[in-house]
Amino acid sequence: MAPTFLIVGATGNTGVGVVETLSKDLTNNSTWPNVRILAQTRSKDSSSAQKLAKLPGVEILAKPWIEITSDWLREHEVVRAFIASHNLPNHFAEESTFLVEALNAGVEYVVRISTTAANVRPDFLAYYPRQHWAIEAMLGTPEFEKLHWSSLQPNVFYAYYINTAADLIKKFRKDGKQDVLRLMASEDGPVGVIEGREVGVFAAKLLLEKDTTKHNKAKYVLNGPEDLTGKKIVEMVEGYIGQKVENVSYKDLTFLEHMAAQSNESREVIMSIRHAPVTGWDGKCTASTTSKEVLEIAAPKVTPAQALKAMLEE
């Protein structure tokens, strides 16, 4: 068996970019001549998993990541790992378990996905950024000194920020009618929305570094190349449908009611997510906050216009 890079959440928003970049960059790589890429996902049968399985050097692992133990990591010679966990209320318990297993297995380096940098505080009102803060605090303790790590703090993804705009355009193309355009965005708050795959590209570049010392304990902020406002989203929609948007609902978080109704968790915990976009509305999540290392290593390039066009072509 060869040294292994384990990608947890390989078919997710960011994981696909990690696997694709590793597969490409590990070809004839003198630093990692024999490394294998183990892409963890829940099912080998999904279209995303099947596409990844065709890439050079990629093996698909259909296994719940929370069941991964230190013995399993040693058996598979995992030397570096990427993890994009879920953001459910049990996130801390599950990701911290994985990281403890990685530490005890002697894994050299882990790159993990956090959340919007302005929200990662112990007193933040939404629950899930506090979990990311707690994970980063845990990793920064002396007990984890042997495990090098980097935490990526990407801004909101296009998939969550302009999906309703794409849906309205698709529906209009079918029947010529408009629904209410419900936007998480405020009308004027500039937000550096980012494409998830590009976060994965940066993560892969970090995993490929020969010496991870300079990235150890780093928290990198990632945004897209341009700020996006609700007003700009409306303008893009109008450009596609050829008429004024009739009804816009800014700062619209009505989807949370459905989330809370479908969840077995505390309603108030789930509804606390309503506080997450506020920092963006207040102008604290602009493209200008991107870490210089991100711009130097793998600067995000996908613009809002390009992201919307791609959604409409799906």
Side-chain angles (χ1 to χ4, degrees):
M1 196 173 294
T4 300
F5 285 9
L6 173 65
I7 312 304
V8 173
T11 56
N13 281 320
T14 55
V16 169
V18 180
V19 177
E20 290 176 342
T21 304
L22 287 178
S23 176
K24 177 182 177 182
D25 289 2
L26 281 170
T27 303
N28 299 319
N29 187 300
S30 59
T31 302
W32 299 100
N34 300 309
V35 74
R36 66 174 185 150
I37 305 163
L38 197 55
Q40 179 276 335
T41 185
R42 285 174 290 186
S43 172
K44 289 185 176 182
D45 298 327
S46 71
S47 58
S48 296
Q50 291 176 5
K51 287 179 183 178
L52 294 180
K54 296 177 182 178
L55 297 176
V58 176
E59 298 177 35
I60 301 297
L61 169 70
K63 178 183 181 70
W65 62 268
I66 191 56
E67 296 179 3
I68 292 174
T69 64
S70 55
D71 287 341
W72 186 95
L73 291 166
R74 282 191 290 268
E75 178 186 346
H76 289 80
E77 297 184 33
V78 175
V79 292
R80 298 190 176 186
F82 167 86
I83 178 167
S85 179
H86 57 77
N87 275 339
L88 297 174
N90 63 338
H91 161 221
F92 178 83
E94 295 196 341
E95 185 176 348
S96 65
T97 296
F98 174 83
L99 293 169
V100 168
E101 297 292 342
L103 173 69
N104 290 329
V107 174
E108 300 170 359
Y109 182 46
V110 171
V111 178
R112 65 175 300 274
I113 298 295
S114 180
T115 190
T116 306
N119 297 355
V120 184
R121 298 167 12 202
D123 62 341
F124 197 72
L125 290 171
Y127 78 88
Y128 70 89
R130 296 196 302 268
Q131 296 185 141
H132 285 291
W133 174 86
I135 290 286
E136 292 172 355
M138 180 189 78
L139 287 170
T141 61
E143 288 81 0
F144 276 82
E145 200 65 32
K146 291 183 179 179
L147 176 63
H148 283 196
W149 59 276
S150 298
S151 194
L152 310 190
Q153 299 176 329
N155 214 329
V156 64
F157 299 138
Y158 288 121
Y160 304 138
Y161 214 69
I162 62 173
N163 59 315
T164 54
D167 290 343
L168 186 147
I169 296 168
K170 289 177 180 178
K171 182 178 185 302
F172 183 85
R173 287 174 170 176
K174 286 183 178 180
D175 60 20
K177 298 179 181 179
Q178 293 189 36
D179 286 333
V180 177
L181 178 55
R182 300 185 184 279
L183 298 177
M184 185 191 307
S186 66
E187 184 173 6
D188 297 311
V191 177
V193 189
I194 190 168
E195 171 57 45
R197 263 187 169 87
E198 295 197 302
V199 178
V201 171
F202 179 71
K205 298 295 185 182
L206 295 185
L207 289 171
L208 290 165
E209 288 275 2
K210 183 176 182 180
D211 180 8
T212 59
T213 304
K214 61 183 177 181
H215 299 296
N216 186 28
K217 302 181 182 179
K219 302 170 188 177
Y220 293 127
V221 179
L222 296 96
N223 299 283
E226 297 177 10
D227 288 328
L228 182 62
T229 65
K231 185 185 299 183
K232 177 61 178 177
I233 297 174
V234 172
E235 291 174 359
M236 290 194 299
V237 171
E238 291 175 344
Y240 276 100
I241 67 175
Q243 60 182 245
K244 289 288 185 181
V245 172
E246 297 169 354
N247 194 345
V248 185
S249 177
Y250 294 110
K251 299 183 180 180
D252 193 304
L253 304 176
T254 52
F255 66 90
L256 287 177
E257 292 290 346
H258 177 73
M259 283 182 61
Q262 296 297 312
S263 175
N264 293 322
E265 306 291 344
S266 160
R267 172 180 169 79
E268 185 52 35
V269 169
I270 299 301
M271 291 302 294
S272 74
I273 297 173
R274 67 187 182 274
H275 299 289
V278 174
T279 48
W281 299 340
D282 290 343
K284 297 178 181 178
C285 306
T286 62
S288 65
T289 63
T290 302
S291 297
K292 64 179 180 62
E293 292 85 354
V294 175
L295 299 176
E296 292 167 354
I297 295 172
K301 298 177 181 178
V302 177
T303 65
Q306 291 170 332
L308 181 57
K309 183 175 184 291
M311 286 184 179
L312 295 174
E313 293 172 350
E314 289 177 349

